[in-house]
Amino acid sequence: MAHPTEHVVVHAPALDGSRRVTLGDEPLGIATHVDDVAEILRLADLYVTDVEDNDLVEWQGGGPDDWPGLSEHHGT
């Protein structure tokens, strides 16, 4: 059983717009898009179907659409 205090944190964007993804104190990877977060979690055997709206995932410093500096325009 997973530790109840462990959850995934998508940290505030860095200066380049990328975001660190951690589980507890463990780094899982660096994301540059919301799809990267889903892939990082899949590789960590955490199959989250909706990373944008899930109690396991905490978004800090902005939500899943907040990737400043990486792309001014997403999917038009």
Side-chain angles (χ1 to χ4, degrees):
M1 179 177 215
H3 299 288
T5 58
E6 287 187 338
H7 61 281
V8 174
V9 176
V10 181
H11 295 267
L15 292 177
D16 67 357
S18 65
R19 300 175 78 162
R20 291 183 306 117
V21 180
T22 59
L23 175 63
D25 292 333
E26 296 297 318
L28 296 179
I30 302 292
T32 58
H33 188 271
V34 68
D35 292 340
D36 292 342
V37 176
E39 180 65 7
I40 288 167
L41 298 185
R42 186 189 69 77
L43 292 172
D45 290 330
L46 299 169
Y47 295 92
V48 177
T49 56
D50 184 4
V51 298
E52 296 181 41
D53 186 25
N54 189 295
D55 290 341
L56 178 70
V57 181
E58 176 186 342
W59 293 85
Q60 296 181 346
D65 294 325
D66 208 7
W67 304 89
L70 288 172
S71 176
E72 296 286 329
H73 309 281
H74 274 283
T76 341

